């Protein structure tokens, strides 16, 4: 499956962005879709995940309360709403597809190309 991420950009601290990730084929109900991010000089880190079938969502502590992951089953698209952005949220955001939920990006089988989010202070 191919994943196409979009929606990144430059935003001031406190602002919002909505990232999208479209899959090239139907996402099975057993799949887990997630977002991770990688800042310059840092390791890729887990941000949020959603079980495609149930819609259950999971968040890293840094994302809880500010970010919202959602899905559109008909469009095979997963979203990440970023609110109250902080300078430290600056990173390349990647969407990914896998089969399990975990607080590490290494569990995912397929990755999108990433979209840059830059937050100015």
């Amino acid at each position: 499956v191919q994943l196409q991420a979009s929606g990144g950009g430059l935003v001031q601290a406190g602002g919002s962005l909505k990232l999208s990730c479209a899959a090239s084929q139907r996402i099975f109900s057993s799949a887990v879709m997630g977002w991770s991010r990688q800042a310059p000089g840092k390791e890729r880190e887990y941000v949020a995940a959603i079980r495609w079938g149930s819609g259950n969502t999971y968040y890293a502590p840094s994302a809880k309360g500010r970010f919202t992951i959602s899905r559109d089953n008909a469009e095979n698209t997963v979203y990440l709403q970023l609110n109250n952005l902080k300078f430290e949220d600056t990173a390349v955001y990647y969407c990914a597809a896998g089969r399990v939920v975990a607080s590490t990006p290494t569990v995912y089988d397929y990755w999108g190309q990433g979209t840059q989010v830059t937050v100015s202070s």
Side-chain angles (χ1 to χ4, degrees):
V1 60
Q2 292 184 333
L3 303 173
Q4 181 71 39
S6 61
L10 173 63
V11 63
Q12 289 187 331
S16 298
L17 283 173
K18 187 171 185 176
L19 308 183
S20 301
C21 176
S24 60
Q25 62 192 58
R26 184 174 73 91
I27 300 173
F28 293 103
S29 59
S30 58
V32 174
M33 300 297 292
W35 289 93
S36 298
R37 67 185 183 185
Q38 188 165 18
K42 295 188 176 181
E43 292 187 354
R44 192 169 297 189
E45 64 174 1
Y46 158 78
V47 175
I50 185 168
R51 290 191 185 276
W52 199 255
S54 66
N56 289 346
T57 57
Y58 308 85
Y59 296 94
S62 60
K64 213 163 191 177
R66 298 189 301 126
F67 298 173
T68 303
I69 189 170
S70 62
R71 75 199 195 294
D72 184 325
N73 295 62
E75 297 294 328
N76 294 306
T77 300
V78 61
Y79 302 98
L80 186 67
Q81 176 70 43
L82 310 173
N83 293 332
N84 191 21
L85 282 161
K86 304 176 182 180
F87 176 75
E88 51 265 37
D89 294 319
T90 296
V92 177
Y93 284 70
Y94 297 90
C95 62
R99 291 162 289 175
V100 297
V101 175
S103 58
T104 171
T106 60
V107 300
Y108 293 105
D109 302 311
Y110 302 96
W111 289 88
Q113 86 287 2
T115 184
Q116 176 72 46
V117 172
T118 303
V119 184
S120 62
S121 57

